[in-house]
Amino acid sequence: MPRYTVHVRGEWLAVPCLNCTNTVGWLGREAVRRYMKNKPNNGGFASVEEVKFYVRRCKGLGLLDLDDTVEDALEDNEFVEVVIEGDTMSPDFIPSQPEGVHLYSKYREPEQYISLDGNSLTTEDLVNLGKGLYKIKLTPEAEAKVNQSREVIERIVKEQTVVYGITTGFGKFARTVIPNSKLRELQVNLVRSHSAGVGKPLSPERSRMLLALRINVLAKGYSGISLETLRQVIEAFNASCLPYIPEKGTVGASGDLAPLSHLALGLIGEGKMWSPKSGWADAKYVLQAHGLRPITLKPKEGLALINGTQMITSLGCEAVERASAIARQADIIAALTLEVLKGTTRAFDTDIHAVRPHRGQAEVAFRFRSLLDSDHHPSEIAESHRFCDRVQDAYTMRCCPQVHGVVNDTIAFVKDIMMTEINSATDNPMVFAERAETISGGNFHGEYPAKALDYLAIGVHELAAISERRIERLCNPSLSELPAFLVTEGGLNSGFMIAHCTAAALVSENKALCHPSSVDSLSTSAATEDHVSMGGWAARKALRVIEHVEQVLAIELLAACQGIEFLRPLRTTTPLEKVYDLVRSVVRPWMKDRFMAPDIEVAHRLLVDQKASVWEVAKPYIEKYRREHIPESRPISPTAFSLGSLETNTGVGHDHGHEDE
């Protein structure tokens, strides 16, 4: 007998269909009837007949014809939504789908697996797991360790030993011993009571990352979870059944208790859950639709699921990967701006950077040379001002290796911390099977990722700060020798005037967001948890800072390409022409004013889409230059950031006769 899960005004109802010739309209009326039956005063309706509604699929939000039969219109066990006419404008209306539903409607179940052992996950792996590119399985070694640690827990329960979180309460209640008959109830109560987060839910990608990371930590075998339960968690991940996890509520010690509790709540069949098939629905229905059972928690398993720094760290991994991507592309965009502003490449001379050998600085200077070397990539724009009488460039161009360079080094430092953290056991108490005992400690404290992510935000912000100043130089005719605001018929047209204001606004916001959250601490849990990291906010605002940086650089990219239009028919270097062509494939030049926000969004996507990004266009030229300019006989310095820092001086650049101040 087919059945459907129907969403009506925030409630989910299972509606069986005895007759497949019943219509979609019948399904909607039956769902409304059941909704009214469960509500005082019939939910405010006099009768089912007076209710006007329409029906849509939860997956993709496609409208259904009320006259179609359910057999023709729907698959068995499909999720649909009945929208009461007038409700969509109500402040109480809660749609069944998260923001950006169009991004998830094309989800395809992955065929490839990634094996987790708790020791070898990378930040790239985690981000790809978040994107839904892999399913998860455990290595045999991980399964053995999980079983061994569970045996320790079973012995503690059997012998009725007093151990924190297993046979006692939590936090201030650590001295309250719980009888064996109530140990399962203890774990369920823990999950329910700690599910106290607020705010918007994490996106499906971020929920998927969080769940994958918790699985990786549990796979280490120090949490005491049973292999049976861990396999159920993995089955939920592989089906993309993702619990509703509010983004706010963690103080970052005893780990991310509130977010991870919401994660566990969905797994035990309570609260809300999302899947590509269902959209947001009651967790029990989502699990049921995928043939899964809610987890029944055994002693210690609730604590095993919620103790750790996985929200801080999973968001931090996304932050560090996005930071790496935008830092690489910032060099390319700045090089394009330098060409448009007719700057010199002399400041990127190898010998200058060899005497101040910071690894990031050397790599950024190398990238500039690889894109602008006039001997390797002839540039008609560079040739046009080879013998100009200007002395030296402004700092926003000349000092890119120094400013961008430390951002690269900051990202490398933070990534190292994240790599350690994602493969660390962060539970309490820890279960050491080889010693047959549990030990209470403080690995759940989020200070490491919190401090690192505060540092990341401060570092990456500088890419936007210096980019905004370059946008100003592009737009200001007294600095650029280009038309004001990069548009013809100025006055009639405003060009990039307000795009620059947007960049300035984002940079100003970032200055406030870069105030470190980890310098704060508020005592919680009746002074048991009397120092916390506030790492959840550190992670969320680092992501916001990075998004702003991406948007500012998107504006600079558009402005630099627009500047090229006023230098035509002269051409820049081959790699920068390829970047220009990529931008022009999605954004046409501004001959006159037009709606600019969509163009900024398209340029932003060029910076975050790793398959068709600015970096992917320029990368082959950078790597080819690297291969051709590294002497094979010269030994590699142990401090080299990359081979690019060892390149010999090839006399690149335009001769402006620049002298140092």
Side-chain angles (χ1 to χ4, degrees):
M1 177 178 64
R3 55 170 246 141
Y4 305 95
T5 307
V6 187
H7 182 257
V8 183
R9 284 187 165 177
E11 294 202 7
W12 289 93
L13 303 158
V15 180
C17 185
L18 298 175
N19 187 347
C20 290
T21 61
N22 285 336
T23 64
V24 171
W26 170 87
L27 179 65
R29 285 191 297 275
E30 179 63 16
V32 171
R33 187 186 68 77
R34 290 170 181 246
Y35 169 82
M36 291 170 59
K37 183 179 178 181
N38 295 333
K39 289 294 178 183
N41 193 31
N42 290 330
F45 299 116
S47 67
V48 173
E49 286 69 28
E50 78 164 30
V51 180
K52 295 181 180 180
F53 60 84
Y54 59 90
V55 180
R56 63 188 181 189
R57 281 189 171 87
C58 288
K59 180 180 180 181
L61 300 183
L63 283 175
L64 299 171
D65 191 320
L66 299 182
D67 294 328
D68 285 348
T69 65
V70 291
E71 184 178 41
D72 292 337
L74 298 170
E75 298 176 5
D76 184 21
N77 213 13
E78 191 161 352
F79 286 69
V80 296
E81 180 169 38
V82 172
V83 181
I84 309 298
E85 192 172 286
D87 275 6
T88 52
M89 298 307 293
S90 165
D92 298 325
F93 176 72
I94 303 173
S96 66
Q97 295 280 22
E99 294 178 21
V101 63
H102 61 282
L103 299 177
Y104 317 123
S105 59
K106 296 182 180 179
Y107 172 82
R108 295 290 180 269
E109 186 174 331
E111 297 179 357
Q112 290 183 291
Y113 282 80
I114 189 168
S115 296
L116 298 186
D117 59 7
N119 301 309
S120 51
L121 188 67
T122 68
T123 54
E124 295 93 335
D125 290 337
L126 188 60
V127 170
N128 286 331
L129 283 163
K131 292 176 180 176
L133 301 184
Y134 302 105
K135 292 183 178 180
I136 286 173
K137 61 182 177 180
L138 297 179
T139 65
E141 295 79 10
E143 291 186 345
K145 288 182 178 180
V146 169
N147 278 327
Q148 290 165 7
S149 69
R150 185 63 198 175
E151 289 171 3
V152 176
I153 301 300
E154 298 291 353
R155 185 161 56 252
I156 288 170
V157 173
K158 183 178 181 180
E159 296 173 357
Q160 298 186 5
T161 308
V162 177
V163 177
Y164 172 74
I166 303 173
T167 56
T168 76
F170 310 96
K172 189 70 174 178
F173 298 122
R175 297 182 182 179
T176 302
V177 179
I178 310 299
N180 273 23
S181 61
K182 294 189 175 183
L183 293 185
R184 290 176 183 265
E185 183 181 354
L186 171 70
Q187 299 301 311
V188 174
N189 287 347
L190 171 72
V191 170
R192 287 171 176 161
S193 66
H194 285 42
S195 297
V198 297
K200 292 182 179 180
L202 297 182
S203 68
E205 286 92 343
R206 289 174 180 172
S207 296
R208 201 180 280 119
M209 279 197 301
L210 179 56
L211 182 53
L213 186 52
R214 192 62 206 158
I215 291 168
N216 190 61
V217 172
L218 295 171
K220 291 185 72 69
Y222 296 101
S223 305
I225 198 168
S226 68
L227 185 57
E228 176 192 8
T229 297
L230 182 51
R231 282 174 174 164
Q232 283 186 267
V233 178
I234 292 171
E235 286 173 353
F237 177 89
N238 289 344
S240 202
C241 294
L242 307 170
Y244 184 103
I245 305 166
E247 64 180 6
K248 300 175 184 178
T250 176
V251 294
S254 296
D256 296 316
L257 291 174
L260 288 171
S261 294
H262 282 275
L263 185 77
L265 190 71
L267 296 172
I268 66 173
E270 300 185 17
K272 302 292 183 185
M273 217 174 215
W274 183 92
S275 82
K277 180 177 182 178
S278 65
W280 289 115
D282 287 353
K284 61 183 178 182
Y285 292 135
V286 178
L287 291 170
Q288 191 176 64
H290 290 273
L292 303 175
R293 295 177 294 107
I295 290 171
T296 300
L297 295 174
K298 305 178 186 70
K300 212 301 189 162
E301 291 192 327
L303 191 59
L305 287 169
I306 74 169
N307 223 187
T309 62
Q310 281 67 59
M311 175 157 162
I312 306 171
T313 311
S314 60
L315 296 184
C317 288
E318 179 189 342
V320 81
E321 286 301 307
R322 287 176 66 174
S324 297
I326 196 60
R328 291 192 298 263
Q329 294 175 110
D331 298 341
I332 300 165
I333 295 167
L336 187 59
T337 296
L338 183 138
E339 270 282 89
V340 172
L341 295 176
K342 298 182 178 179
T344 178
T345 59
R346 294 285 285 175
F348 313 124
D349 187 287
T350 313
D351 288 343
I352 289 177
H353 303 284
V355 296
R356 195 194 192 197
H358 291 296
R359 294 183 296 174
Q361 176 178 330
E363 176 65 12
V364 172
F366 167 78
R367 288 177 187 161
F368 270 77
R369 292 195 300 274
S370 71
L371 296 168
L372 296 169
D373 182 345
S374 57
D375 291 333
H376 196 75
H377 301 298
S379 166
E380 293 172 351
I381 294 175
E383 191 62 30
S384 72
H385 63 96
R386 178 176 289 275
F387 302 108
C388 66
D389 59 359
R390 284 182 295 158
V391 179
Q392 55 190 2
D393 294 327
Y395 290 0
T396 49
M397 294 187 286
R398 195 192 337 164
C399 299
C400 281
Q402 291 78 8
V403 177
H404 290 202
V406 72
V407 177
N408 281 270
D409 289 339
T410 299
I411 294 167
F413 169 77
V414 174
K415 185 168 184 173
D416 183 62
I417 288 178
M418 290 298 147
M419 289 283 285
T420 300
E421 191 72 8
I422 62 177
N423 293 295
S424 295
T426 53
D427 293 80
N428 185 56
M430 305 287 290
V431 182
F432 293 95
E434 64 276 13
R435 295 170 59 171
E437 64 178 310
T438 64
I439 304 175
S440 288
N443 278 5
F444 51 68
H445 201 295
E447 199 74 8
Y448 262 102
K451 280 284 186 286
L453 291 169
D454 279 337
Y455 184 31
L456 182 69
I458 293 168
V460 177
H461 156 73
E462 214 58 42
L463 293 176
I466 196 171
S467 173
E468 182 275 329
R469 290 291 81 202
R470 291 193 298 264
I471 297 169
E472 156 69 7
R473 300 192 76 80
L474 286 164
C475 291
N476 189 333
S478 65
L479 300 173
S480 68
E481 300 176 7
L482 297 169
F485 304 112
L486 301 169
V487 73
T488 56
E489 293 189 78
L492 175 63
N493 295 299
S494 297
F496 277 74
M497 181 187 295
I498 303 305
H500 173 235
C501 289
T502 298
L506 294 172
V507 169
S508 183
E509 256 190 65
N510 274 1
K511 291 174 183 177
L513 290 170
C514 283
H515 177 79
S517 63
S518 61
V519 299
D520 186 29
S521 176
L522 287 171
S523 180
T524 59
S525 193
T528 303
E529 299 160 4
D530 56 348
H531 182 277
V532 299
S533 71
M534 299 300 177
W537 176 225
R540 289 192 295 114
K541 70 184 183 64
L543 279 167
R544 193 181 301 181
V545 166
I546 291 163
E547 182 178 33
H548 290 169
V549 170
E550 293 165 350
Q551 290 164 335
V552 171
L553 281 158
I555 293 170
E556 183 186 355
L557 176 62
L558 292 176
C561 288
Q562 181 68 6
I564 291 281
E565 307 300 336
F566 298 104
L567 301 178
R568 291 303 193 210
L570 301 178
R571 296 177 65 81
T572 181
T573 65
T574 302
L576 294 182
E577 283 289 342
K578 293 293 184 183
V579 171
Y580 169 87
D581 290 342
L582 175 66
V583 174
R584 285 291 170 255
S585 71
V586 292
V587 178
R588 67 184 191 277
W590 282 268
M591 297 296 100
K592 59 181 180 179
D593 283 348
R594 65 173 187 265
F595 184 20
M596 187 171 277
D599 291 337
I600 296 172
E601 177 56 32
V602 168
H604 182 206
R605 287 203 295 270
L606 286 182
L607 299 178
V608 299
D609 183 353
Q610 295 308 299
K611 292 182 180 178
S613 66
V614 168
W615 173 251
E616 288 303 312
V617 168
K619 180 181 177 181
Y621 297 93
I622 296 172
E623 295 309 316
K624 183 174 184 290
Y625 190 85
R626 193 186 304 278
R627 291 191 301 270
E628 294 176 358
H629 289 76
I630 306 302
E632 293 182 5
S633 60
R634 190 169 178 180
I636 297 177
S637 164
T639 61
F641 180 79
S642 74
L643 295 178
S645 62
L646 300 175
E647 185 203 346
T648 56
N649 189 341
T650 58
V652 301
H654 325 313
D655 185 5
H656 283 180
H658 288 189
E659 296 177 1
D660 290 335
E661 292 176 337

